[in-house]
Amino acid sequence: MDDQLQIEKWEGKVALDISTNEIQAWSLLSEFFNLHLWLPGIATCEKVTGSEALPGSIRYVASPANESGEVSWAKEELIGFDPVEKSFSYRVVESSMGFGEYVAHFRVLPGTGVGCRLEWSFECEPVIGWSREGLIGYLDSSLKGMAERLEKATNPDAKTTDDKVSYETNGKLDGKANGDKNSKANDVVNCETNCEVNVA
């Protein structure tokens, strides 16, 4: 009976190697209330309650208004912050984008050379109006945009950087990735992809 009541979960991770060093990247990206400075597509990031690096703090993030004047927004709570491991976790507590339970983890890891590796992972309930692959694609493009802004801020003379992006996902879909509601609820998708990108 309990098994029937369990909600299907999505899991995924995107990662990107960049030329910015680990200390610089963490000092900028760990500022919970400054997401709008680094993440393309976010016009607003404001403190609702709490303070930097304090679990329980909540931020309000929103996109620019679209042609109809609508704004996509979310309130996110910081639930973990570890400056030694250079990682933090947050969860969506309210949003206009169809999110139910959603928890994400962001880490800055040592790189293979002078740079570092950014890693963004999540676990969530299926999101209304999204496929899991669509959500992973959004995080992937967001991470690339974040890396581009970060590298321009820390190395403004750099013209191009060749980076490798890797996705790793493993979880169950409630229906197929394309949102086909007629598919079986227990379809399982396992995916590992590597692709080369240029971040200008």
Side-chain angles (χ1 to χ4, degrees):
M1 185 71 174
D2 289 341
D3 291 340
Q4 294 177 349
L5 297 177
Q6 286 184 349
I7 298 173
E8 297 294 338
K9 295 287 185 181
W10 292 353
E11 296 180 359
K13 177 170 65 176
V14 294
L16 178 64
D17 295 318
I18 64 173
S19 62
T20 302
N21 73 54
E22 185 183 357
I23 294 172
Q24 284 180 310
W26 173 250
S27 69
L28 298 172
L29 299 179
S30 63
E31 295 179 348
F32 191 62
F33 302 125
N34 282 338
L35 183 65
H36 61 297
L37 299 179
W38 309 112
L39 187 61
I42 298 297
T44 303
C45 181
E46 299 173 345
K47 178 175 76 171
V48 175
T49 184
S51 60
E52 287 289 356
L54 180 66
S57 299
I58 295 175
R59 67 186 178 191
Y60 168 84
V61 296
S63 68
N66 63 19
E67 293 178 357
S68 303
E70 297 175 339
V71 171
S72 296
W73 60 270
K75 289 182 180 177
E76 299 172 340
E77 179 186 4
L78 184 66
I79 57 175
F81 188 89
D82 189 337
V84 176
E85 294 294 325
K86 297 181 179 62
S87 68
F88 63 87
S89 302
Y90 63 94
R91 69 183 184 96
V92 173
V93 294
E94 190 178 353
S95 85
S96 67
M97 299 177 287
F99 285 87
E101 180 184 330
Y102 177 93
V103 176
H105 313 278
F106 193 90
R107 298 197 299 166
V108 178
L109 301 166
T112 55
V114 295
C116 69
R117 183 175 180 85
L118 306 180
E119 184 179 278
W120 196 353
S121 61
F122 70 90
E123 307 96 37
C124 68
E125 296 172 353
V127 183
I128 297 168
W130 293 66
S131 68
R132 187 180 61 171
E133 280 65 26
L135 180 56
I136 291 168
Y138 168 76
L139 293 181
D140 172 45
S141 62
S142 296
L143 193 63
K144 291 174 188 174
M146 183 184 292
E148 180 177 1
R149 288 187 177 186
L150 187 64
E151 290 190 325
K152 282 182 179 178
T154 58
N155 187 12
D157 296 329
K159 293 182 180 179
T160 59
T161 303
D162 293 324
D163 291 313
K164 176 178 273 190
V165 176
S166 65
Y167 313 62
E168 296 173 24
T169 64
N170 184 10
K172 293 184 178 180
L173 285 177
D174 184 8
K176 292 182 180 177
N178 63 9
D180 181 359
K181 294 180 181 178
N182 296 320
S183 58
K184 296 179 181 178
N186 289 327
D187 286 346
V188 178
V189 174
N190 292 294
C191 164
E192 292 189 5
T193 308
N194 288 312
C195 60
E196 297 291 331
V197 298
N198 285 329
V199 178

